Amino acid sequence: MSASKLTDLSLAEARDGLRQKDFTSEELTQAHISAMEAGRKLNAVILETPEKALDMARASDAKLSNEEGGALEGLPIGVKDLFCTKGVRTTACSKILGDFTPPYESTVTQNLWDAGAVHLGKLNNDEFAMGSSNETSCFGPVNNPWRNKAKETNLVPGGSSGGSSASVAAHIGVAATATDTGGSIRQPAAFTGTVGLKPTYGRCSRWGIVAFASSLDQAGPITRTVRDSAIMLGAMAGHDAKDTTSIDTPVPDYEAALGANLNGKKVGIPKEYRIDGMSDEIEELWQQGIDWLKDAGAEIVDVSLPHTKYALPAYYIIAPAEASSNLARYDGVRYGTRLEGDNLLEMYEKTRGAGFGAEVRRRIMIGTYVLSAGYYDAYYLKALKVRRLISEDFKQAFEKCDVLLTPATPSSAFAIGENLDDPLAMYMNDVFTVTVNLAGLPGISVPAGLDAQGLPLGLQLIGQPFGEEALLGMAEKIEQAAGFDARPDVWWE
Amino acid sequence: MSEATNDNLISGATGDWEVVLGLEVHAQVLSEAKLFSGAATEYGAEPNTQVSLVDAAMPGMLPVINWKCVEQAVRTGLGLKAQINNYSVFDRKNYFYPDLPQGYQISQFLQPIVGEGEIIIDLEDGSTKTVGIERLHLEQDAGKSVHDQHPDLSFVDLNRSGVALMEIVSRPDMRSSAEAQAYVKKLRAILRYLGTCDGNMEQGSMRADVNVSVRKQGDPLGTRCEIKNVNSIRFIGQAIEHEARRQIAIIEDGGSIDQETRLFDPKNGETRSMRSKEEAHDYRYFPDPDLLPLTFSQDFVDEIAATLPELPDTKKARFMSDYGLSAYDAGILVAEAESAAYFEEAAKGRDAKTVANMVIGSLFAGLNKAGLNIVDSPVTPENLGALVDLLSDDTISSRIAKDVFEMMFEEGPDQGKSPSAIVEEKGLKQVTDTGAIEAAVDEVLAANPDKVAQAKEKPKMAGWFVGQVMQSTGGKANPQSVNKLVLQKLGIEE
Amino acid sequence: MSVDDKTVHRIARLARIAVPEEEISSLGTELNAILGFIEQLSEVNTDDILPMTAVVETEIKRREDAVTDGGYVKDITANAPASDDDYFAVPKVVE
Ligand SMILES: [Mg+2]
Ligand SMILES: [Zn+2]
């Protein structure tokens, strides 16, 4: 099979091909290494690990030839640079981490290597996962493989997992790990025509993932198909005694949940997601999704999530507050970059002033402010109470339905630089996704069509806690109905 | 205790001042591993060898609680007769310091694991006083900074980083340095009885922050200063004395006290301001999102309660009623669980008062001189008891008993020689044979005719003869018999 | 509530972030825009609502009291910008 054919394969197809010995992992991996090298203009990969990948591929081939190996044996994937990887530089795409090389491996990536996955390299992301466009990375922005019809400007791939979404959309890796704190898996997936799954909080271990906002962060996959997401999640998920917020409940066979019958299933449509100024295209896409699920046998019910409009403001209190504390460890003492000063205070201030980029500094400042004496009750405590109201909204809605269907983003991908000097406009990207993090629910973004500019748009399904199977089954129906098989023109090679 | 009875006032130029004291004691939880990681807590290891990735705050590291530390906190709370909170919350206390790797300390702020309790302190004059406990919470210790090994650098060792501490906060109920010292002694005794902290202040496993303010009696509370990290009972006394006088002098000079954190400098016995004024602290406490609320059932608490040992106050009362000891002696014996246990072992089936005297007298003096802990005593409780037996049945005199005790102490327990073996071997048995004693008395009288004449005038001289006879018999003669015979022969009436 | 330059200085100091003097006021403007946005929350009635600190409805995980970690000083200090004899080194701290 030719190299380009090998990179055409979905994760499931590649897996099956390896098992049938149609090709070797070394061949598959080499094809993806070539794609990675050819795709450097995208800036999706910030650290290529080709030798490591080939070593791992050969080890996988040995296992496969003995009919052994795990669920991901021999499959080359990329890893968001937020995951600590033993002996492989990990920076969260922040200057402050310098050349930090962890002496440990995150639980999620270890699970993937244990399942046989092959490590292609580390993927770009917004600095400390703070952003919705992958423009805040110290390694520079990632270019979306997709371009609008005019093709005049490069577009953002979404964020913070922009390297993950772009690399999967560009067929550099068969899949990628990502993390989602306010929409950082689902929004970039929607912007790149890929599938992004944010699992229930506690489904994947947070141990070894650079923390942004601990009560919201959750790892998940970005893939090209729903089936691939099911396979990836099965390998990533699991209980971890090292993470007190990880849940000790068995990991189901997510792939087996596909193909489920939707008869009798209820899909809730939350009216509050019909926001002011929503474009006709998004409106139509949403209606299209409703029709598809109805046709597949589901019953559509109207539900209300009355506190939806307060999710974004609550998020922009809670996430920065936690981040301001989580990022206090980057002080130039034990690892990372240090700027010398005449005294300790100066060393701290210079190190952190220069080590963090503008958006990270902004969020640390907001977080510090809302926790500071005299403001805690008005901001932080208030936000925690609103968070409960948002969570209660979902509980009530789920008394009437099994899953919720919403748009994934208010628009398609925008141009690099377009929203950079307007933080609030940037924050609006997460308006449909952030509620899910506040309530700890699973959510998935599925490519559902192209807009007038020829750019992908996604629909979001929101599930009940640990309802990933129902979510995947429903997402597959949208995938089938949408028949989304568009690919970006290859302009980057 | 009513304020009017405070007789510990400090006199100043404008009259008497009352000192008001509250203590925050940091007690290291006795545990093998740290509060949120599996690294060791052992004292004195090489720098950064007892540090896990969690303790060094590597990116992505998460805390998981050591349940033993929770048990220890509950156990301590029960020992302080305190409210145990089945639901408590870990918060982050945010500040930057090189020995604080996370940039925050995991502590408990609004909802601690233990609420209000009390401690009865024992004062020098034998009286007691109840001091209120406001709360006890669990938190992480910081690492250690070394400032004196390099001209421009401080060095950081994270071995202590993450070690579990109990912060025990008292009410401002103490009124003198002596009371504060008694409080720390009693708290330490309780913690040691419970086995929740070794109370070793030299190694830093117990340190006190002392809040000091002064006022005229009956006035509202004055502005307080907090003296941080005082690490010995003696220093606590010195720090309070100095700080109270410093505050009184300022107020009497027409000044006012700034609420601030101060350090005690043992070299000159003074306290000094610790942090520059502009550096106002704002710790931005908030619930740690990496940790779920700390919850446990009442059964869990009850199970711990069922294993609580007899604590000092109860033991003291029992020693007084069961053994007939004075409050003072009982207080001394129960101050350490090990002393109390030693005493009870030695007193089994014997005259307890004699045993108590020997423990508090000879044994404590010997241990003190040798710098030994009672658990390492060269004289076993069995042998000390056997020695008391020899004394009680008149086999030896009390003077010989002292000698035998010293011999046992010198030899140590390994020799395994019982006191009766020593008495036998060295021929120290008390001479009770009247004939032999009479001969010895006669001999001394005959050798000192002039003194005999004097003694007839001054009967008090008789004591000198008794001494001479005791000496000539190598202390073995029964002193009562000697006394009786000397008086008889000198013709002095008793 | 809005932040002035003095407040920006204070927050920057608390967060240990050096902000060049010429950026203080523009940073203040940005922070005020964000604070204005999040202040919408004051519209919500939250009387009698318990704050939600964790979305996980389970008991905190317990660890046994056993030494299972540590003893790798070289790994601990390997990434340190400055170290000396297995200690981390920082500019001298004066108390
Ligand atoms: Mg304190
Ligand atoms: Zn404390």
mmCIF file of all heavy atoms in Angstrom, chain B residues 135-149:
data_model
loop_
_atom_site.group_PDB
_atom_site.id
_atom_site.type_symbol
_atom_site.label_atom_id
_atom_site.label_comp_id
_atom_site.label_asym_id
_atom_site.label_seq_id
_atom_site.Cartn_x
_atom_site.Cartn_y
_atom_site.Cartn_z
ATOM 1 N N ARG B 135 -9.297 25.031 67.692
ATOM 2 C CA ARG B 135 -9.376 24.141 66.542
ATOM 3 C C ARG B 135 -8.068 23.376 66.376
ATOM 4 O O ARG B 135 -7.045 23.752 66.944
ATOM 5 C CB ARG B 135 -9.590 24.949 65.256
ATOM 6 C CG ARG B 135 -8.449 25.963 65.042
ATOM 7 C CD ARG B 135 -8.683 26.857 63.849
ATOM 8 N NE ARG B 135 -8.438 26.145 62.607
ATOM 9 C CZ ARG B 135 -8.930 26.525 61.437
ATOM 10 N NH1 ARG B 135 -9.700 27.594 61.376
ATOM 11 N NH2 ARG B 135 -8.667 25.854 60.348
ATOM 12 N N LEU B 136 -8.154 22.322 65.596
ATOM 13 C CA LEU B 136 -6.958 21.615 65.144
ATOM 14 C C LEU B 136 -7.172 21.343 63.665
ATOM 15 O O LEU B 136 -8.235 20.872 63.273
ATOM 16 C CB LEU B 136 -6.792 20.300 65.908
ATOM 17 C CG LEU B 136 -5.660 19.337 65.498
ATOM 18 C CD1 LEU B 136 -5.286 18.439 66.688
ATOM 19 C CD2 LEU B 136 -6.014 18.452 64.303
ATOM 20 N N HIS B 137 -6.178 21.686 62.847
ATOM 21 C CA HIS B 137 -6.321 21.335 61.430
ATOM 22 C C HIS B 137 -5.062 20.667 60.897
ATOM 23 O O HIS B 137 -3.995 20.779 61.477
ATOM 24 C CB HIS B 137 -6.733 22.550 60.595
ATOM 25 C CG HIS B 137 -5.692 23.631 60.507
ATOM 26 N ND1 HIS B 137 -5.804 24.827 61.161
ATOM 27 C CD2 HIS B 137 -4.522 23.677 59.832
ATOM 28 C CE1 HIS B 137 -4.752 25.571 60.886
ATOM 29 N NE2 HIS B 137 -3.945 24.894 60.081
ATOM 30 N N LEU B 138 -5.247 19.949 59.805
ATOM 31 C CA LEU B 138 -4.131 19.262 59.142
ATOM 32 C C LEU B 138 -3.567 20.165 58.059
ATOM 33 O O LEU B 138 -4.318 20.836 57.353
ATOM 34 C CB LEU B 138 -4.628 17.970 58.486
ATOM 35 C CG LEU B 138 -4.759 16.741 59.384
ATOM 36 C CD1 LEU B 138 -5.506 15.643 58.643
ATOM 37 C CD2 LEU B 138 -3.390 16.226 59.837
ATOM 38 N N GLU B 139 -2.253 20.149 57.910
ATOM 39 C CA GLU B 139 -1.634 20.907 56.830
ATOM 40 C C GLU B 139 -0.265 20.352 56.502
ATOM 41 O O GLU B 139 0.266 19.504 57.211
ATOM 42 C CB GLU B 139 -1.548 22.395 57.190
ATOM 43 C CG GLU B 139 -0.681 22.683 58.403
ATOM 44 C CD GLU B 139 -0.674 24.167 58.782
ATOM 45 O OE1 GLU B 139 -1.635 24.875 58.469
ATOM 46 O OE2 GLU B 139 0.319 24.606 59.387
ATOM 47 N N GLN B 140 0.305 20.845 55.391
ATOM 48 C CA GLN B 140 1.629 20.397 54.974
ATOM 49 C C GLN B 140 2.708 21.272 55.585
ATOM 50 O O GLN B 140 2.547 22.479 55.678
ATOM 51 C CB GLN B 140 1.787 20.578 53.454
ATOM 52 C CG GLN B 140 0.843 19.820 52.604
ATOM 53 C CD GLN B 140 1.080 20.182 51.133
ATOM 54 O OE1 GLN B 140 0.901 21.323 50.731
ATOM 55 N NE2 GLN B 140 1.471 19.210 50.337
ATOM 56 N N ASP B 141 3.827 20.661 55.915
ATOM 57 C CA ASP B 141 4.998 21.435 56.306
ATOM 58 C C ASP B 141 5.689 21.926 55.034
ATOM 59 O O ASP B 141 5.471 21.388 53.944
ATOM 60 C CB ASP B 141 5.963 20.562 57.124
ATOM 61 C CG ASP B 141 6.868 21.402 58.024
ATOM 62 O OD1 ASP B 141 6.877 22.645 57.877
ATOM 63 O OD2 ASP B 141 7.571 20.811 58.879
ATOM 64 N N ALA B 142 6.522 22.946 55.178
ATOM 65 C CA ALA B 142 7.314 23.449 54.052
ATOM 66 C C ALA B 142 8.694 22.793 54.101
ATOM 67 O O ALA B 142 9.011 22.061 55.032
ATOM 68 C CB ALA B 142 7.441 24.959 54.151
ATOM 69 N N GLY B 143 9.488 23.056 53.092
ATOM 70 C CA GLY B 143 10.868 22.564 53.097
ATOM 71 C C GLY B 143 11.739 23.430 53.992
ATOM 72 O O GLY B 143 11.232 24.195 54.810
ATOM 73 N N LYS B 144 13.043 23.282 53.822
ATOM 74 C CA LYS B 144 13.959 24.018 54.701
ATOM 75 C C LYS B 144 14.911 24.841 53.845
ATOM 76 O O LYS B 144 15.486 24.329 52.885
ATOM 77 C CB LYS B 144 14.746 23.016 55.545
ATOM 78 C CG LYS B 144 15.352 23.617 56.796
ATOM 79 C CD LYS B 144 16.051 22.548 57.636
ATOM 80 C CE LYS B 144 17.412 22.233 57.068
ATOM 81 N NZ LYS B 144 18.154 21.214 57.789
ATOM 82 N N SER B 145 15.072 26.123 54.208
ATOM 83 C CA SER B 145 16.040 26.956 53.504
ATOM 84 C C SER B 145 17.267 27.107 54.379
ATOM 85 O O SER B 145 17.165 27.312 55.582
ATOM 86 C CB SER B 145 15.453 28.338 53.221
ATOM 87 O OG SER B 145 14.294 28.217 52.436
ATOM 88 N N VAL B 146 18.433 26.974 53.750
ATOM 89 C CA VAL B 146 19.695 27.143 54.480
ATOM 90 C C VAL B 146 20.322 28.429 53.979
ATOM 91 O O VAL B 146 20.575 28.574 52.779
ATOM 92 C CB VAL B 146 20.626 25.943 54.203
ATOM 93 C CG1 VAL B 146 21.887 26.060 55.033
ATOM 94 C CG2 VAL B 146 19.904 24.638 54.484
ATOM 95 N N HIS B 147 20.536 29.381 54.895
ATOM 96 C CA HIS B 147 20.977 30.706 54.453
ATOM 97 C C HIS B 147 22.461 30.971 54.679
ATOM 98 O O HIS B 147 22.968 31.986 54.259
ATOM 99 C CB HIS B 147 20.174 31.789 55.178
ATOM 100 C CG HIS B 147 18.693 31.647 55.006
ATOM 101 N ND1 HIS B 147 18.083 31.671 53.781
ATOM 102 C CD2 HIS B 147 17.697 31.454 55.917
ATOM 103 C CE1 HIS B 147 16.775 31.523 53.939
ATOM 104 N NE2 HIS B 147 16.520 31.376 55.221
ATOM 105 N N ASP B 148 23.130 30.072 55.397
ATOM 106 C CA ASP B 148 24.471 30.460 55.860
ATOM 107 C C ASP B 148 25.612 29.672 55.213
ATOM 108 O O ASP B 148 26.701 29.593 55.740
ATOM 109 C CB ASP B 148 24.532 30.321 57.389
ATOM 110 C CG ASP B 148 24.116 28.938 57.847
ATOM 111 O OD1 ASP B 148 23.922 28.062 56.973
ATOM 112 O OD2 ASP B 148 23.972 28.732 59.064
ATOM 113 N N GLN B 149 25.346 29.078 54.052
ATOM 114 C CA GLN B 149 26.415 28.282 53.455
ATOM 115 C C GLN B 149 27.044 28.924 52.237
ATOM 116 O O GLN B 149 27.977 28.383 51.654
ATOM 117 C CB GLN B 149 25.879 26.889 53.078
ATOM 118 C CG GLN B 149 25.491 26.109 54.317
ATOM 119 C CD GLN B 149 25.311 24.635 54.045
ATOM 120 O OE1 GLN B 149 25.424 24.183 52.917
ATOM 121 N NE2 GLN B 149 25.051 23.874 55.097
#
